[in-house]
C-alpha cells in the first residue's frame, strides 16, 4: 500500500502541503479533486520521489520513499506515472517508445521488450498503431501511448496527473475509458483529475484538497453527492 503521513511540502516560503494523511490500499482507486494550486499534483510528485518533502513520511510497500538509503530508481519501478503532457519521442515509433524503458531499465532483450510493449498497447486499444510515429496520432492516442509506457514497467501502482487536461474535449473520453479499464482490472490508482464524473463513477474514494490540506475524503457518493464541508460544496457548485 501507499502510506502518507503528515506530509509537508514547501517551495520557499510557500507551504503547498500542510500535513497530508492518506493511505491507499492495494486495488483501490483514489481520485483527488480540488482547485488549481491546492497541492494535488505536488503530492504525486512527492509520492514518486520527484520532489523532496519537508516533513512527514511516504511509504510504498513499507519502503520510505524519501530515506537516504532508498534506491529510488528501483522503487519507481513500482510506481507508473502519467503526466499531463505525454512526451513521446518523435523519432521513435509507438512500439519503440513503449519498449524503451523495459529495455533500458528492466534490461529486457529487444524481443522481450517489444512483446511486452505490444501487449500493453493492445490493452489500451492501440494494437493497430505499433508502427506509427507520435505525430501521426491524435492527442488522445498519444496519451494512451503514455499510459501503455507506464504499464510496460509492470508497476504495482499508477499515478495519473490530470492526464486529460491538455486534450480537446472530444478526445477526453477515450483516455478515461482506458483508465476505467485499468480500474476494472484491479490496478491501484491515484488520479488527480478535474473529471468529476470519472471520479464519481470509478473511484473507491475521493479526496478533496483545499489550500494544502485534505478538506474531505470518503466514498464518492458522500464527497461528491453529499459533501459535508462548505469548501467542498462551494468547489463542486462551481465545476458541476
Amino acid at each position: 500500500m501507499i502510506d502518507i503521513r503528515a506530509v509537508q511540502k514547501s517551495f520557499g516560503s510557500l507551504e503547498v502541503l500542510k500535513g497530508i494523511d492518506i493511505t491507499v490500499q492495494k486495488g483501490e482507486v483514489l481520485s483527488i479533486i480540488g482547485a488549481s494550486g491546492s497541492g494535488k499534483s505536488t503530492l504525486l510528485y512527492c509520492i514518486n520521489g520527484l520532489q523532496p518533502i519537508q516533513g512527514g513520511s511516504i511509504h510504498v510497500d513499507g519502503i520510505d520513499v524519501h530515506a537516504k538509503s532508498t534506491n529510488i530508481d528501483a522503487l519507481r519501478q513500482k510506481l507508473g506515472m502519467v503526466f499531463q503532457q505525454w512526451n513521446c519521442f518523435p523519432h521513435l515509433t509507438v512500439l519503440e517508445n513503449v519498449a524503451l524503458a523495459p529495455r533500458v531499465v528492466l534490461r529486457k532483450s529487444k524481443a522481450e521488450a517489444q512483446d511486452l510493449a505490444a501487449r500493453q498497447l493492445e490493452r489500451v486499444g492501440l494494437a493497430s498503431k505499433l508502427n506509427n510515429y507520435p505525430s501521426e496520432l491524435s492527442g488522445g492516442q498519444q496519451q494512451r501511448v503514455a499510459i501503455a509506457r507506464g504499464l510496460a514497467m509492470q508497476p504495482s501502482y499508477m499515478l495519473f496527473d490530470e492526464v486529460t487536461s491538455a486534450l480537446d474535449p472530444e478526445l477526453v473520453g477515450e483516455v478515461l475509458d482506458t483508465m476505467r479499464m485499468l480500474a476494472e482490472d484491479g490496478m491501484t490508482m491515484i488520479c488527480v483529475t478535474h473529471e468529476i464524473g470519472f471520479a464519481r463513477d470509478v473511484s473507491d474514494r475521493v479526496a478533496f484538497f483545499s489550500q494544502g490540506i485534505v478538506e474531505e475524503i470518503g466514498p464518492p457518493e458522500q464527497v461528491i453527492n453529499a459533501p459535508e464541508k462548505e469548501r467542498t460544496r462551494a468547489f463542486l457548485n462551481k465545476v458541476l
Side-chain angles (χ1 to χ4, degrees):
M1 65 180 180
I2 298 175
D3 192 36
I4 301 161
R5 293 292 170 206
V7 166
Q8 296 173 303
K9 171 64 185 174
S10 298
F11 293 100
S13 61
L14 177 64
E15 191 176 16
V16 180
L17 300 177
K18 304 174 182 178
I20 302 295
D21 288 296
I22 300 175
T23 299
V24 181
Q25 302 290 343
K26 279 282 181 70
E28 183 177 14
V29 178
L30 173 72
S31 288
I32 302 176
I33 62 173
S36 296
S38 58
K40 310 182 302 296
S41 296
T42 299
L43 180 64
L44 293 191
Y45 281 70
C46 292
I47 292 171
N48 207 30
L50 294 169
Q51 286 287 348
I53 58 177
Q54 277 72 54
S57 65
I58 301 173
H59 288 80
V60 175
D61 291 345
I63 300 170
D64 187 342
V65 174
H66 295 276
K68 291 182 178 178
S69 59
T70 295
N71 182 337
I72 193 64
D73 292 331
L75 183 61
R76 283 188 185 135
Q77 293 178 30
K78 290 177 173 282
L79 296 161
M81 188 158 179
V82 185
F83 300 89
Q84 295 179 31
Q85 299 293 337
W86 37 87
N87 297 322
C88 295
F89 290 105
H91 64 291
L92 299 179
T93 66
V94 166
L95 182 66
E96 290 167 340
N97 264 282
V98 177
L100 183 61
R103 287 190 68 188
V104 174
V105 180
L106 301 182
R107 305 292 190 210
K108 292 187 178 292
S109 69
K110 181 177 180 180
E112 288 176 320
Q114 290 195 344
D115 179 66
L116 177 59
R119 282 187 277 119
Q120 298 307 333
L121 286 162
E122 181 178 12
R123 191 177 180 188
V124 302
L126 292 174
S128 65
K129 302 293 184 180
L130 302 187
N131 296 315
N132 288 78
Y133 288 88
S135 62
E136 299 172 314
L137 305 183
S138 70
Q141 289 171 331
Q142 289 190 47
Q143 192 60 287
R144 284 189 281 152
V145 172
I147 293 172
R149 187 172 54 195
L151 293 171
M153 292 297 290
Q154 301 175 293
S156 301
Y157 309 94
M158 288 291 289
L159 311 177
F160 294 92
D161 183 19
E162 297 183 2
V163 296
T164 60
S165 63
L167 298 177
D168 293 333
E170 66 269 20
L171 301 177
V172 169
E174 65 188 70
V175 176
L176 294 181
D177 286 345
T178 298
M179 294 169 67
R180 285 188 177 93
M181 175 269 295
L182 294 179
E184 290 168 0
D185 286 349
M187 174 62 73
T188 310
M189 298 160 56
I190 302 179
C191 310
V192 170
T193 183
H194 290 298
E195 303 292 338
I196 304 301
F198 169 84
R200 177 169 41 209
D201 296 343
V202 177
S203 308
D204 296 293
R205 286 188 300 157
V206 175
F208 171 63
F209 275 38
S210 177
Q211 299 177 4
I213 66 170
V214 180
E215 184 76 20
E216 192 163 353
I217 186 169
E221 55 268 21
Q222 173 216 311
V223 175
I224 296 175
N225 295 347
E228 298 175 354
K229 300 294 183 69
E230 177 56 37
R231 283 182 180 174
T232 316
R233 288 194 291 269
F235 170 77
L236 290 170
N237 284 338
K238 288 181 180 179
V239 299
L240 290 177

